[in-house]
Amino acid sequence: MGMDTSSSMMMMLNQVWMMMLMTMLLTSSTIGQQMCDQCNCPISTTDADSQSIHNIGIVCNTGTITWYGASGGVLLELSPFIHGNFKACFVVQSDEHTFVKFSQEKSHISRRNYKLKHKEVKRLRLDHLSTSNGRSQEFCVVSKSREPVILYIETERTPEVGSVPKVFIHYDMERADPPSNHGVPNTLDECRPCTREEILDSYCSMDFAVIGSLSDVKDNLATDKTEISLAVKQIIHTSQPEHFQRVKRSDPHLTGKVVMPRKCGVKVGAGDFLFTGRMRLGDLTLRCAPYLRDWRKIQNEVECTHS
């Protein structure tokens, strides 16, 4: 009877030990890997883990990573739900004392090897992409296979340390269009006028659709964007109402600002337009801008599925 009791106790202890071991294994396999389940993803580095590496996987195709503390490093996996190759573009914002460096890992890192230290990251094959402080210009990477793109992000502070650093990493991913002419990418594709079908689609699918006119156009050499001021007479729909405001109570129209690539050479033009576009890399980006008279001719063809 004593032998049976002893055997039962040993079996129970073994079961408890196995459960503890399995818990430890499951926990250790997920340490260091964080999936951002929202498009605007916050991460934080404290003084205690200032040399740690945040391993981030994002689930949205566009959004912002806000990095509080901004020390150590970030290993970022890009694996969007896009068929075929994709282009991932970034704009980084930091204070003047924080330099942010982006590098790309050329060979794919499997998830099981994600628990890395700084010295291990330094041994990886990294190609430098961008280093900036303040607000960076837009820079992009293009996938070349079906494997995720792996980026490594690190910061460096100047001696004039002020407040706790905070870095904003705006990202946007979309399908990489195939080359248009004899293998040469069409770099002005985003500048061409929208087709009839694109105008109808953008009216329903974009983040904003407003009616108004151009009031001012300025080139920003630092961001390589053209900033376009709008006098907005009617908001049809917008997901960012705070971007269209009345500056003075006496102003007859709302004021808004959108951007386009500087290479497009946008100039001030007379007349009323339908402006459509989306939030991209922290800015409202203009997509289609047909003359209002041309829009009126086709607007009865619109069939938006959302309310």
Side-chain angles (χ1 to χ4, degrees):
M1 190 74 175
M3 290 293 291
D4 291 340
T5 302
S6 177
S7 298
S8 299
M9 289 292 294
M10 288 298 295
M11 291 178 63
M12 290 177 62
L13 288 173
N14 286 335
Q15 289 176 354
V16 171
W17 169 247
M18 288 300 296
M19 290 177 65
M20 292 175 61
L21 181 60
M22 288 297 295
T23 301
M24 291 170 62
L25 289 173
L26 288 171
T27 303
S28 64
S29 67
T30 57
I31 284 177
Q33 176 62 16
Q34 175 185 342
M35 293 299 295
C36 286
D37 59 358
Q38 52 188 322
C39 300
N40 296 322
C41 174
I43 58 176
S44 181
T45 303
T46 63
D47 292 339
D49 57 2
S50 61
Q51 295 301 309
S52 64
I53 307 296
H54 297 276
N55 300 295
I56 304 297
I58 49 182
V59 297
C60 297
N61 289 345
T62 187
T64 300
I65 298 170
T66 304
W67 186 6
Y68 299 96
S71 60
V74 172
L75 203 64
L76 178 63
E77 177 186 0
L78 307 179
S79 184
F81 297 102
I82 296 174
H83 179 71
N85 288 337
F86 64 91
K87 179 174 71 171
C89 297
F90 300 87
V91 165
V92 181
Q93 286 179 270
S94 67
D95 62 67
E96 61 180 342
H97 302 301
T98 303
F99 287 82
V100 184
K101 179 180 178 181
F102 266 70
S103 303
Q104 181 177 1
E105 166 57 32
K106 300 307 293 182
S107 59
H108 177 60
I109 307 172
S110 64
R111 287 181 183 271
R112 65 177 178 272
N113 293 329
Y114 259 22
K115 193 176 180 183
L116 299 173
K117 297 179 181 179
H118 263 299
K119 61 181 180 181
E120 293 171 324
V121 171
K122 299 299 183 183
R123 289 199 295 266
L124 297 176
R125 185 185 169 198
L126 298 173
D127 284 354
H128 176 252
L129 295 176
S130 171
T131 300
S132 63
N133 66 330
R135 183 179 175 91
S136 75
Q137 290 191 1
E138 178 180 335
F139 62 96
C140 304
V141 295
V142 179
S143 65
K144 297 181 180 179
S145 67
R146 294 187 179 276
E147 291 186 339
V149 171
I150 306 298
L151 301 178
Y152 180 62
I153 310 164
E154 57 186 326
T155 60
E156 182 177 339
R157 297 280 285 167
T158 63
E160 300 84 6
V161 177
S163 59
V164 176
K166 180 167 61 174
V167 171
F168 298 93
I169 303 168
H170 305 290
Y171 64 89
D172 185 84
M173 293 180 283
E174 57 186 351
R175 187 173 66 88
D177 292 326
S180 55
N181 297 310
H182 307 292
V184 179
N186 186 356
T187 57
L188 293 178
D189 188 64
E190 57 193 328
C191 303
R192 62 172 176 77
C194 291
T195 65
R196 180 193 192 98
E197 291 73 21
E198 288 170 337
I199 293 171
L200 292 170
D201 178 69
S202 69
Y203 178 86
C204 297
S205 63
M206 293 287 109
D207 290 330
F208 69 89
V210 300
I211 292 173
S213 59
L214 298 169
S215 59
D216 193 21
V217 172
K218 292 181 180 179
D219 287 337
N220 188 326
L221 300 181
T223 62
D224 203 30
K225 302 286 185 183
T226 297
E227 299 174 353
I228 307 165
S229 296
L230 306 180
V232 178
K233 300 177 181 179
Q234 180 185 355
I235 294 179
I236 299 170
H237 66 80
T238 178
S239 59
Q240 285 85 25
E242 69 277 7
H243 287 262
F244 301 100
Q245 299 288 338
R246 199 178 304 275
V247 178
K248 298 179 182 177
R249 282 181 131 184
S250 58
D251 288 347
H253 307 302
L254 303 177
T255 298
K257 187 181 77 173
V258 299
V259 302
M260 282 195 74
R262 191 166 62 91
K263 64 186 178 183
C264 296
V266 178
K267 304 296 182 184
V268 172
D272 288 338
F273 299 82
L274 169 72
F275 299 105
T276 68
R278 67 187 184 95
M279 178 61 79
R280 181 179 182 276
L281 301 177
D283 291 314
L284 289 184
T285 301
L286 187 62
R287 178 64 187 97
C288 298
Y291 277 103
L292 185 59
R293 62 176 181 269
D294 295 330
W295 164 245
R296 295 302 189 200
K297 296 175 183 178
I298 64 172
Q299 70 177 108
N300 63 326
E301 301 177 30
V302 169
E303 294 182 3
C304 298
T305 56
H306 59 77
S307 57

